[in-house]
Amino acid sequence: MKRVPIPAVAPALLAAAALALSGCGDVDDGGASAGAGKDGRTLTVFAAASLTETFTALGETFEGSHPGVKVRFNFGGSSTLAQQIVQGAPADVFAAASPATMKTVTDKGAASGRPAVFARNRLVIAVPKNEAGKVRALPDLAARGLKVVLCAEQVPCGAAAGQALRAGGVKVTPVSREQDVKAVLTKVRMGEADAGLVYRTDVRAASGQVTGVEFPESAKAVNDYPIAPLAEAPQPALAREFVGLVLSQQGRTALTRAGFEAP
């Protein structure tokens, strides 16, 4: 299984993007088989960055029950992924971190059927592990000299951060705004920031490399995660089956274990 990052592309370059997706058999995947499955089928899933660990595991489960099929992921900021889809990037499934970014796809008729909400997620304050006492509550983010990193405002984690900060009456001037939540987490983990607003699931996935600080204002900014097969899916039957796995009890168990909430 491969994660294939696809940068934002202009419409004129979409053919090249499609070729890159279909012909990346020489990408190092840590020893796993490269290219499409033995029966020539590859399922391409575009998913929010915060789903990386859970969907990677579900992709392995899907491959195990579909011999010869390969699941290929493009993880990133939901707004960027949505734009790639409406511009024609080849994909079978889209899982977004907010209904607003999914609406970008449905408004263009690029989704097949009505999206289903499969999980919810909420924010925590991520701080470096060795500075766990520096930030104890949301108002602490406004402290002078504190380096705070947030997601870009158009990204679901950035929109949620704005809602939470407004709910708490806290004004923060971030030192940077990142294009997805994993980039925010990396800056905190590397000590390049004193704090960042990320999802609870991302702190859990970081396996103790950062500390998560819960705050009550996060209840005002809970994100619903919708998923849908895509109208132009190269593998429509596999797309529906993967969505079915995510919505199943097995999928819900995996998501809950990762820290997501049931919708």
Side-chain angles (χ1 to χ4, degrees):
M1 184 175 353
K2 290 183 251 338
R3 305 174 197 169
V4 181
I6 305 174
V9 292
L13 298 179
L14 288 172
L19 180 61
L21 271 172
S22 62
C24 56
D26 58 347
V27 175
D28 180 8
D29 60 1
S33 299
K38 293 178 181 178
D39 65 358
R41 293 190 296 170
T42 297
L43 178 72
T44 303
V45 179
F46 280 33
S50 50
L51 293 165
T52 298
E53 293 79 15
T54 307
F55 267 35
T56 296
L58 288 175
E60 292 172 355
T61 298
F62 191 83
E63 288 179 350
S65 62
H66 295 75
V69 172
K70 290 295 177 184
V71 182
R72 190 174 290 181
F73 289 103
N74 178 23
F75 294 111
S78 294
S79 57
T80 298
L81 298 178
Q83 287 301 320
Q84 291 172 359
I85 290 167
V86 299
Q87 289 172 5
D92 296 293
V93 175
F94 180 39
S98 74
T101 45
M102 178 61 77
K103 189 172 185 296
T104 300
V105 172
T106 57
D107 283 353
K108 295 293 185 180
S112 176
R114 179 178 296 180
V117 173
F118 64 93
R120 310 183 85 197
N121 212 350
R122 68 176 65 213
L123 298 173
V124 298
I125 305 167
V127 297
K129 187 177 180 180
N130 59 351
E131 299 180 17
K134 200 168 187 177
V135 175
R136 297 181 181 275
L138 192 66
D140 293 340
L141 297 182
R144 182 178 302 225
L146 194 77
K147 294 184 291 185
V148 179
V149 178
L150 302 175
C151 287
E153 293 175 310
Q154 72 272 19
V155 179
C157 62
Q163 288 179 315
L165 290 167
R166 286 191 294 273
V170 180
K171 293 185 178 180
V172 172
T173 301
V175 294
S176 72
R177 284 191 175 269
E178 305 300 322
Q179 289 305 306
D180 64 61
V181 71
K182 294 298 187 186
V184 173
L185 189 72
T186 296
K187 290 220 166 187
V188 175
R189 182 173 55 82
M190 298 297 291
E192 297 175 17
D194 299 314
L197 287 176
V198 303
Y199 294 119
R200 175 189 291 168
T201 54
D202 295 296
V203 169
R204 183 172 296 190
S207 302
Q209 297 178 69
V210 298
T211 297
V213 179
E214 301 272 353
F215 60 97
E217 296 87 351
S218 66
K220 303 292 185 180
V222 177
N223 275 13
D224 288 339
Y225 281 55
I227 189 170
L230 296 174
E232 299 298 325
Q235 301 291 340
L238 290 178
R240 290 191 295 271
E241 290 182 44
F242 184 82
V243 171
L245 172 62
V246 173
L247 296 174
S248 71
Q249 184 58 53
Q250 185 176 12
R252 179 165 294 183
T253 298
L255 289 158
T256 302
R257 188 181 300 122
F260 289 94
E261 300 174 9

